[in-house]
Amino acid sequence: MANPPTEELVQQWESEQTRLREQVVEQDTEPWQKSPDFSGLERVAGVDLSFIKGDEVNACAQLVVLSYPQLEVLYEESTMVALTMPYMAGFLAFRETPSLLEALKRLRCNKPELMPQVVFVDGNGVFHYREFGIACHLGVLSGIPCVGVAKNLLQVEGVYKDEEHQSQIAALQKGGDSFPLTASSGKVLGKALRSSEKSSKPVYVSVGHKISLDTAVRLTHSCCRYRVPEPIRQADCRSREYLRVHFPPVDT
């Protein structure tokens, strides 16, 4: 078990999040975002990290780029990384973002024609304790539009997994239906989206950077063959497969 971050480090992280939060753009900035069918969007990416079982340091950082709207893999990179920062809830970006940024930099250097126009991140964006989750962090530092998609509800800012939340989920009748995640302040921080007809469990979508919430939700739904949007699903599957092949579990 890694040592928890020091109080001084946590304060540094909070200060950094506050500073970078001011740079987040929560509106559409690209022409394709304003198109009903996302005309002009050709490449969407997904990022994820998978860990060797029982190892909190060594992980597979995965980047995939898919064609849009076909959602076929154009590019993939699996890289083993050593995470030097400890994990603490609310500060995941400081642990995982550096390796994801490096993957994007390598792609820009080696195959710039395949740079994604938007990145899906397995985690939250502005739906976060300080409205600056990993999708915001990656978006601001990369300059690329980002969407945060979480599989589990972060209970924050007055949003709870209570009876009302469960009843709202039950009311999602078809793929594409959603409801807002509204903070105690009245601000909408994200939306719960029924992303597929095949799954009644929602995903939680929030703005990362350079995209509006409504567009992020609409785009997420358009990228879903199953519950999890295909860019994230492919990144997760491929990183797990990489670990399975290169670091097979040892029978004890």
Side-chain angles (χ1 to χ4, degrees), residues 46-115:
V47 293
D48 190 41
L49 267 77
S50 291
F51 291 83
I52 299 171
K53 187 175 181 180
D55 188 335
E56 297 180 353
V57 174
N58 297 293
C60 176
Q62 186 75 38
L63 168 64
V64 296
V65 180
L66 309 185
S67 61
Y68 186 89
Q70 300 87 355
L71 301 178
E72 301 296 334
V73 176
L74 300 173
Y75 173 90
E76 64 173 301
E77 182 196 75
S78 308
T79 305
M80 289 304 298
V81 296
L83 304 181
T84 57
M85 292 295 183
Y87 170 76
M88 184 174 182
F91 301 99
L92 178 67
F94 292 95
R95 182 167 162 82
E96 297 190 357
T97 298
S99 58
L100 300 177
L101 278 171
E102 286 301 316
L104 288 168
K105 288 178 181 177
R106 286 191 294 271
L107 173 57
R108 188 185 298 275
C109 179
N110 298 328
K111 289 187 176 292
E113 71 278 9
L114 293 181
M115 280 298 292

Side-chain angles (χ1 to χ4, degrees), residues 213-229:
L213 179 58
D214 287 345
T215 299
V217 169
R218 193 161 57 91
L219 180 62
T220 299
H221 180 231
S222 78
C223 287
C224 286
R225 290 174 173 165
Y226 306 96
R227 179 189 174 217
V228 176

Side-chain angles (χ1 to χ4, degrees), residues 11-239:
Q11 290 175 348
Q12 290 176 2
W13 285 350
E14 288 180 345
S15 177
E16 183 75 352
Q17 286 181 331
T18 300
R19 182 182 69 83
L20 293 175
R21 174 68 181 91
E22 297 176 358
Q23 300 178 39
V24 173
V25 178
E26 296 183 59
Q27 61 190 30
D28 294 330
T29 60
E30 312 302 316
W32 60 263
Q33 295 168 337
K34 301 174 176 65
S35 169
D37 61 353
F38 300 117
S39 177
L41 177 62
E42 298 178 348
R43 297 173 306 282
V44 297
V47 293
D48 190 41
L49 267 77
S50 291
F51 291 83
I52 299 171
K53 187 175 181 180
D55 188 335
E56 297 180 353
V57 174
N58 297 293
C60 176
Q62 186 75 38
L63 168 64
V64 296
V65 180
L66 309 185
S67 61
Y68 186 89
Q70 300 87 355
L71 301 178
E72 301 296 334
V73 176
L74 300 173
Y75 173 90
E76 64 173 301
E77 182 196 75
S78 308
T79 305
M80 289 304 298
V81 296
L83 304 181
T84 57
M85 292 295 183
Y87 170 76
M88 184 174 182
F91 301 99
L92 178 67
F94 292 95
R95 182 167 162 82
E96 297 190 357
T97 298
S99 58
L100 300 177
L101 278 171
E102 286 301 316
L104 288 168
K105 288 178 181 177
R106 286 191 294 271
L107 173 57
R108 188 185 298 275
C109 179
N110 298 328
K111 289 187 176 292
E113 71 278 9
L114 293 181
M115 280 298 292
Q117 294 159 279
V118 61
V119 178
F120 284 89
V121 183
D122 184 11
N124 292 295
V126 299
F127 186 55
H128 177 266
Y129 304 104
R130 284 165 296 283
E131 298 184 19
F132 195 77
I134 186 171
C136 298
H137 210 125
L138 184 64
V140 168
L141 294 184
S142 69
I144 302 172
C146 284
V147 178
V149 183
K151 295 184 282 292
N152 300 305
L153 178 69
L154 182 68
Q155 300 191 85
V156 62
E157 295 277 348
V159 180
Y160 301 109
K161 196 172 184 178
D162 52 17
E163 287 186 14
E164 179 184 4
H165 186 79
Q166 296 296 344
S167 67
Q168 288 175 305
I169 291 175
L172 300 175
Q173 296 297 307
K174 63 183 185 303
D177 286 354
S178 65
F179 63 84
L181 303 169
T182 306
S184 302
S185 65
K187 180 177 179 178
V188 175
L189 298 179
K191 286 190 175 183
L193 168 70
R194 178 166 178 172
S195 52
S196 169
E197 301 288 350
K198 302 172 184 177
S199 176
S200 59
K201 293 180 65 176
V203 292
Y204 298 95
V205 181
S206 57
V207 170
H209 186 47
K210 287 187 171 182
I211 195 167
S212 68
L213 179 58
D214 287 345
T215 299
V217 169
R218 193 161 57 91
L219 180 62
T220 299
H221 180 231
S222 78
C223 287
C224 286
R225 290 174 173 165
Y226 306 96
R227 179 189 174 217
V228 176
E230 199 65 10
I232 293 176
R233 194 182 77 85
Q234 287 291 341
D236 177 66
C237 289
R238 289 164 191 267
S239 61

